[in-house]
Structure formats: C-alpha cells, structure tokens
Amino acid sequence: MKWQMARRAEKMNPSVIREILKVTEKPGIISFAGGLPSPLTFPIDAMREASERVLRDDGKAALQYAASEGYAPLREWVAQDLLKQGMNVSPDQVLITTGSQQGLDLVAKILIDAGSRILVETPTYLGALQAFTPMEPNVVSVDSDDHGVDPADLRAKVGTGTDKARFVYLLPNFQNPTGRTMTEERRAAVAQVAVECGLPIIEDNPYGDLWFDAPPAPSLSSRHPAGSVYLGSFSKILAPGLRLGYLVAPTALYPKLLQAKQAADLHTPSFNQRVVAEVLKDGFIDRHVPTIRALYKQQCQTMLAALDREMAGLGLSWNRPVGGMFLWVQLPQGMKAIPLLAKAVEKGVAFVPGSAFYAEGADESTLRLSFVTATVDQINTGMTALATAIRESL
C-alpha cells in the first residue's frame, strides 16, 4: 500500500536531540546532551500523597472527562503565580496544555499560514522549529547576541503588508540552547519594537524559575500584554512525565487557541491537573524550587570550572549562565561539532551539536552542554574526555 502523505507531513523531521539520546543509552556514556531535568528533583513523596488525596476525596471527577480550559483551581494558581513575572492576568486567560510543547503546536495552528513570515532568535529552541515547520512558514532568524535578539535587526525584519511577521518567538530566560538571559534594558527595547510595530510576541518561559542567585527581569508579556502569548511549564519545577504546561493569551486570541486544543486532545489529563493543584496549594513550590536551584547551580559551577581547567589553550569559548540547564560552547575556528561528536562518543561523552538549533545559517562550530543530569564526578570525567577528543581533532 502506498500512502499519499500530506505536504505538511513531508516537512516533519525527527528530533536531532532524540536521535542523539539513543546514542547516549549505550553503557558507559556520560551524556551532556539531553535537556532533561534531574530526576533527583522529582517530588515523589509529595506526588504520592497528593495522588492518594485526590483519589480519596475526588476520584470520580479526577478520572472523568473535563473542561478543555483546564482545572479551575490550577488556572487560578497560574494566574496568581504570574504576578511575580509582572503579569496581571485573569484565570480565564489561562489554558492548561499537555506540556508547553502543545502550546507551541496550538500557536502554530492558529497563527501560521503557508508562507507566513515568523521571526526567531539565532539560535532558537529546536522543539519550536519542529512545531512551526509543518505549517510551512517562512522562518526568519533575527541577529542575536549574549542578551538575546538585536532590537534593531528585529525592527528591520518585521516586514510590511502581507509579508509582515505573524509573531516573534522568544525565550528570554536561560534560553534553550544557549543558556543566555535578556537584560532589563534589552527586554525594554524589544518590547518597544513589538509595541511600535504591532508585532505579537510568543514568550516561552519553561526555565524562568531556575535562577541561581537572582530572578530574571519581568516578562516581555507584562510589557506587551495585548500582543503576547506566554507559555509556561511544570516540567522543570515538578516533573516532565506529568506533561503539564499552560499558556496565557489575550482574550481576543484565547477562543481560537481553545478550539485548537479541543480538536487536539479534548483536554489535558484531569487526574494530573488535580494532583498538581493539590501539591501546589500549600506553598510547596516555594519550598521545593530552591532545592532545584541549589543543585543546578552546583552542577553549573562544576562544569564551568572543568571547562576552565580542561579546555585551557584549546581555543574554545563559552558563556557563563546565571540559571537554567544549559551552556553554549564555540569550538576553535574550523572545527565542526558533528564530526567531533562521533569522536567524543568514542571517548564516552556526548553533547548536542549546535547546528540543530538554527533556522537558517547554522553555525557548525557550536555545541550545547546540559549540566543538570550528570553528577559532579561525571561532569569532571566527561569534560576530560571531551577535551581529549578536541585535542585529537585539532
């Protein structure tokens, strides 16, 4: 039987990261590749106790179909929590999603036509590109530096008329893949461009709570509320296996996002939503997240120290994140990350080549390192192995 594929299906590609993760499953490989939270941070006891209470007190409702918008107490919690981002939103603007990745899919379905111009950072989150690409947009990369997108280049690439950008997609806090964070000054400038140009912002913030010493500046959405969709997630602060995220949208846009959600999966699992609401209701997150920050800070500092020690004199450069899960490495001139990966795996260590994160004009001499799932000893051993692979490639 020969199946006739839709044109959008031809645009779908496997996740480079997921393919690399298969390699890291080999025994003995130290992986800095996956964007996985540390399982040491999963609040197993709190989840068990909350699950028992939900089943005991509200089991029938928890196991039944539910409203597409999401569980009301959880939506109320999200709206209240967003005050710390400088956002004053109604629970009626909150849509609970099956992971924040679903939020990207819903945005793509209702905002992108074939040929639509959309703007992204350089580089940007691979999962967003995967969500957007089947809708056949014209993806335009905006020049970016250590603080995010360049406001002047953003303004220059907004476009006009029928070619005006539908939105710009941004991760201002501890960005995946680079780990960089927008400064207050840059946020103000980017928001000003968006407001003046009538450019919608899709703000993705799965890592914003994972700061080490000080929280990031208020959200972009707080500066452009009528023109922003904000995406959040419980994956990084509770557990990714719950597949629980949310989006916040202006009232003019919310109904269409809700309709897309209804068509996709009717609603996010009721039981998961109620369990998380039960976990959150007594201020648990304010006690739990600081333990994640402390762990990730220690692991990041260990990796930075190992880079300083092992890569001395090899011609590499890297950033120094102040939160999140990733850092970004620039290899010596002329060295490419994909061939290096094969040699690194031979030495027992893996990473993600940076070229996967570019919408256009990929820099093949970059790579992403995740520091959160490896132990201190594994980080030190893995950095030594990576340095050996680099020396042999010079």
Side-chain angles (χ1 to χ4, degrees), residues 77-380:
W77 184 93
V78 169
Q80 181 66 29
D81 188 65
L82 288 176
L83 290 172
K84 69 186 182 187
Q85 291 283 336
M87 298 170 62
N88 185 13
V89 302
S90 164
D92 291 338
Q93 295 176 254
V94 178
L95 177 63
I96 303 298
T97 58
T98 308
S100 63
Q101 185 69 23
Q102 185 182 55
L104 293 170
D105 180 69
L106 301 180
V107 165
K109 286 176 178 175
I110 71 163
L111 292 182
I112 301 175
D113 289 314
S116 298
R117 174 188 288 254
I118 63 173
L119 307 179
V120 298
E121 296 173 89
T122 307
T124 190
Y125 171 50
L126 174 60
L129 295 177
Q130 286 187 290
F132 300 155
T133 297
M135 300 298 109
E136 302 180 301
N138 173 25
V139 184
V140 177
S141 294
V142 181
D143 292 346
S144 306
D145 58 24
D146 288 344
H147 304 302
V149 294
D150 178 342
D153 196 53
L154 177 63
R155 187 184 296 272
K157 290 178 176 174
V158 169
T160 59
T162 57
D163 194 38
K164 183 178 179 180
R166 296 291 177 90
F167 59 79
V168 58
Y169 169 71
L170 301 170
L171 297 98
N173 298 324
F174 323 124
Q175 191 230 30
N176 183 359
T178 64
R180 67 194 177 199
T181 300
M182 279 193 187
T183 61
E184 167 60 34
E185 293 76 15
R186 180 62 61 87
R187 291 173 200 241
V190 167
Q192 182 177 359
V193 170
V195 170
E196 291 177 355
C197 296
L199 174 67
I201 295 173
I202 309 301
E203 180 175 14
D204 198 357
N205 188 31
Y207 310 103
D209 286 317
L210 304 181
W211 47 269
F212 297 156
D213 296 313
S219 67
L220 293 166
S221 297
S222 67
R223 306 157 200 262
H224 189 28
S228 296
V229 174
Y230 179 96
L231 305 176
S233 174
F234 293 102
S235 293
K236 310 305 185 293
I237 59 173
L238 288 177
L242 295 166
R243 304 312 305 131
L244 205 58
Y246 55 89
L247 65 77
V248 179
T251 54
L253 195 64
Y254 189 96
K256 283 299 176 186
L257 287 163
L258 177 59
Q259 290 167 22
K261 166 72 175 173
Q262 291 169 339
D265 64 358
L266 300 183
H267 64 85
T268 296
S270 308
F271 179 73
N272 294 13
Q273 293 187 63
R274 288 170 182 262
V275 168
V276 168
E278 183 71 19
V279 168
L280 296 173
K281 71 179 185 181
D282 66 348
F284 171 81
I285 211 72
D286 294 328
R287 301 188 299 274
H288 177 61
V289 172
T291 67
I292 304 176
R293 293 177 189 140
L295 176 64
Y296 289 1
K297 179 180 179 180
Q298 178 193 31
Q299 291 167 306
C300 182
Q301 289 176 334
T302 298
M303 183 170 282
L304 289 170
L307 283 165
D308 290 338
R309 180 179 66 249
E310 301 292 343
M311 306 300 174
L314 296 182
L316 284 74
S317 61
W318 53 88
N319 62 345
R320 308 186 81 85
V322 294
M325 298 167 52
F326 309 106
L327 59 81
W328 191 243
V329 177
Q330 182 78 46
L331 293 169
Q333 186 173 5
M335 185 179 294
K336 295 183 178 181
I338 292 178
L340 175 64
L341 175 61
K343 188 175 288 291
V345 169
E346 291 176 2
K347 306 294 182 186
V349 64
F351 58 82
V352 178
S355 56
F357 300 95
Y358 289 82
E360 53 185 351
D363 186 342
E364 297 182 359
S365 65
T366 57
L367 58 91
R368 188 192 76 177
L369 298 175
S370 174
F371 46 79
V372 302
T373 54
T375 66
V376 167
D377 287 344
Q378 287 174 328
I379 290 172
N380 286 319

Side-chain angles (χ1 to χ4, degrees), residues 55-73:
L55 288 172
R56 182 191 66 215
D57 299 338
D58 208 14
K60 291 180 179 178
L63 298 177
Q64 184 58 279
Y65 286 116
S68 299
E69 293 88 341
Y71 184 48

